[in-house]
Amino acid sequence: MVENRPTMKGRVTVYSVPGCPHCIQAKATLHTLGVPVCDVDLNKHKEIRARVKELTGHGTVPQIFFNNLYVGNNEDLQNLNPEQLKRLVLTLREEAVPLDAPPVPVENGTEIDGAWELSEALRNLILKLYSDHLSKDGKTVDYKAMSQSPYFERYCDLAVQLQRVELLSLSREEKLAFFINVYNALVIHGNLRLGFPKNIWQRYRFFNYVSYLIGGEVFTLQDIENGVLRGNRKGVAQILKPFSRNDPRLQVALPEVEPLIHFALNCGAKGCPPIKTYTAQDIDGQLRAAAEAFLENDDSCVIDSVRREVKLSQIFKWYKIDFGGTDEKLLNWVFDHMGASEKKKNLQSLLSAGKVKVSYLPYDWSINSTD
């Protein structure tokens, strides 16, 4: 019978060397606790040894951390009373690996295991970068300062691990959160590394060229948006669907389009929705809230009762098929996703009377940079 252990968000990091009896005993003890252990061989990864000594004040092994909490050596671990152990294990169960956790090698694949775990680690780094360099309204980014942040370098190192993730095991909710977060981060990554697209041709190249290697396959921004999140639909100015019938990436695509993604994806322009991060838990609720906030903004939706006209963001024009394909279905979708407000009451009045004109607001393509 397999024992069902509680899911752990955090990890124990053990710095050890092969054949060390104290290391072996410590890892055996941790195994009985059922906690996830990242065992770092300091003989193999000598570049980490100096950092470990700096953190602990000791050059001996093992050295043990529960997330970012330093426990000590094997003797210290064995001397913990049951209540102390219980609190440490509870920390791992409730708290993800923090940004200031002790270092572990990236290249051996032991740091992050699985697409969702990697997504969470990337998300935590993105949150840190956003909290430091994103405006309060989520509309502008201090790209210059972000490019100089050690957290951005850490993000770049971690993004390399995307090539090893297993995407087919992700649920719909996990795919939505994973690919939305990756898309928004990739736009920023591309802008920092390649510069900002300044015209239509440069934007076309940017979104069809900037990519990550994910699960052994190349995914451009266009692939993520139109191939995965829109259920393999043609994008703006695209003749063909992103994924052909025999393309292995087609297996990753959502079975049908999710219109709400349009209020979560940020292409780097000021006209885009604010940048946020998303989690798989209640992803639909988070996306509905993003849509509601977008429609509340007069830059995205204006109800002109006098002219019997509804002016919407260009996003609704470009992806009209996702919202039903006709003006009537589009307006009904907008109404259904508005929050309770005077704007919604005005739209309801127009819809009840019939004959509503739909037009589209100018789109602000200027770069969402604080510079």
Side-chain angles (χ1 to χ4, degrees):
M1 181 178 177
V2 178
E3 182 181 359
N4 292 318
R5 297 186 184 274
T7 301
M8 299 284 180
K9 295 182 179 179
R11 67 155 186 254
V12 176
T13 306
V14 178
Y15 298 99
S16 65
V17 296
C20 163
H22 297 294
C23 301
I24 294 171
Q25 184 183 18
K27 286 181 278 189
T29 299
L30 294 168
H31 178 73
T32 63
L33 295 175
V35 294
V37 176
C38 179
D39 182 17
V40 181
D41 180 353
L42 291 182
N43 281 351
K44 182 179 179 182
H45 299 283
K46 295 179 181 179
E47 73 281 1
I48 293 180
R49 186 185 290 272
R51 178 61 176 151
V52 173
K53 187 173 183 179
E54 180 184 332
L55 288 171
T56 66
H58 300 283
T60 58
V61 291
Q63 297 298 325
I64 305 162
F65 289 80
F66 278 63
N67 275 348
N68 59 349
L69 301 175
Y70 176 51
V71 170
N73 59 23
N74 177 51
E75 183 179 357
D76 297 321
L77 176 66
Q78 304 303 331
N79 288 335
L80 292 173
N81 63 47
E83 187 60 32
Q84 290 173 314
L85 277 173
K86 183 178 179 180
R87 286 199 297 270
L88 286 169
V89 172
L90 185 61
T91 298
L92 300 185
R93 191 177 303 164
E94 296 180 345
E95 299 178 14
V97 181
L99 294 172
D100 59 347
V104 295
V106 173
E107 68 274 13
N108 65 5
T110 61
E111 181 174 2
I112 305 295
D113 181 22
W116 184 240
E117 291 79 5
L118 178 57
S119 174
E120 281 294 284
L122 289 168
R123 177 177 171 273
N124 286 333
L125 280 171
I126 293 167
L127 279 173
K128 174 60 179 171
L129 288 167
Y130 286 176
S131 69
D132 290 347
H133 308 294
L134 195 66
S135 63
K136 290 183 179 180
D137 62 2
K139 298 292 284 185
T140 58
V141 182
D142 187 344
Y143 287 102
K144 183 177 180 180
M146 184 183 286
S147 67
Q148 298 168 353
S149 168
Y151 291 110
F152 177 67
E153 291 304 316
R154 171 72 178 131
Y155 172 84
C156 294
D157 291 340
L158 204 56
V160 175
Q161 291 199 49
L162 286 167
Q163 63 186 300
R164 290 193 292 267
V165 303
E166 171 52 61
L167 294 173
L168 296 181
S169 62
L170 295 182
S171 66
R172 169 190 171 275
E173 292 74 19
E174 289 170 337
K175 282 182 184 177
L176 279 168
F178 176 82
F179 277 105
I180 288 171
N181 291 337
V182 166
Y183 179 97
N184 288 338
L186 178 54
V187 170
I188 292 176
H189 199 166
N191 283 331
L192 289 173
R193 289 292 189 242
L194 303 175
F196 306 97
K198 296 179 176 62
N199 53 48
I200 293 175
W201 171 241
Q202 288 183 2
R203 281 194 290 272
Y204 180 84
R205 280 182 53 82
F206 185 88
F207 288 95
N208 285 277
Y209 173 76
V210 173
S211 61
Y212 279 148
L213 184 63
I214 309 175
E217 300 290 341
V218 173
F219 287 85
T220 65
L221 289 164
Q222 194 79 263
D223 294 331
I224 293 173
E225 179 180 10
N226 299 307
V228 177
L229 296 173
R230 296 186 64 231
N232 202 35
R233 285 190 170 184
K234 297 176 186 177
V236 177
Q238 284 189 318
I239 300 173
L240 302 174
K241 293 181 178 180
F243 306 147
S244 66
R245 186 179 302 174
N246 297 322
D247 193 321
R249 296 173 298 175
L250 186 58
Q251 301 176 71
V252 181
L254 293 178
E256 55 186 26
V257 67
E258 176 47 74
L260 290 168
I261 63 145
H262 297 301
F263 313 104
L265 300 180
N266 185 291
C267 70
K270 288 184 178 179
C272 293
I275 302 172
K276 299 178 182 178
T277 61
Y278 294 84
T279 59
Q281 185 177 6
D282 192 32
I283 181 65
D284 292 293
Q286 295 168 59
L287 292 175
R288 283 194 297 271
E292 183 177 318
F294 187 79
L295 291 168
E296 284 177 1
N297 194 323
D298 286 342
D299 290 337
S300 309
C301 176
V302 176
I303 310 298
D304 190 334
S305 299
V306 176
R307 296 186 177 184
R308 304 193 54 76
E309 182 178 6
V310 177
K311 302 175 184 178
L312 296 170
S313 164
Q314 292 281 335
I315 289 173
F316 291 100
K317 179 180 180 181
W318 298 329
Y319 302 103
K320 192 172 184 178
I321 186 66
D322 295 355
F323 301 100
T326 66
D327 285 353
E328 181 183 1
K329 290 180 179 178
L330 169 59
L331 290 175
N332 285 331
W333 191 98
V334 168
F335 176 80
D336 290 340
H337 290 82
M338 277 182 164
S341 63
E342 194 65 28
K343 183 183 286 189
K344 184 169 186 175
K345 291 179 182 177
N346 291 338
L347 178 57
Q348 185 175 27
S349 298
L350 290 182
L351 293 176
S352 298
K355 295 183 180 179
V356 182
K357 179 183 177 182
V358 176
S359 62
Y360 299 97
L361 298 161
Y363 201 76
D364 188 352
W365 281 109
S366 56
I367 301 165
N368 62 346
S369 174
T370 56
D371 297 340

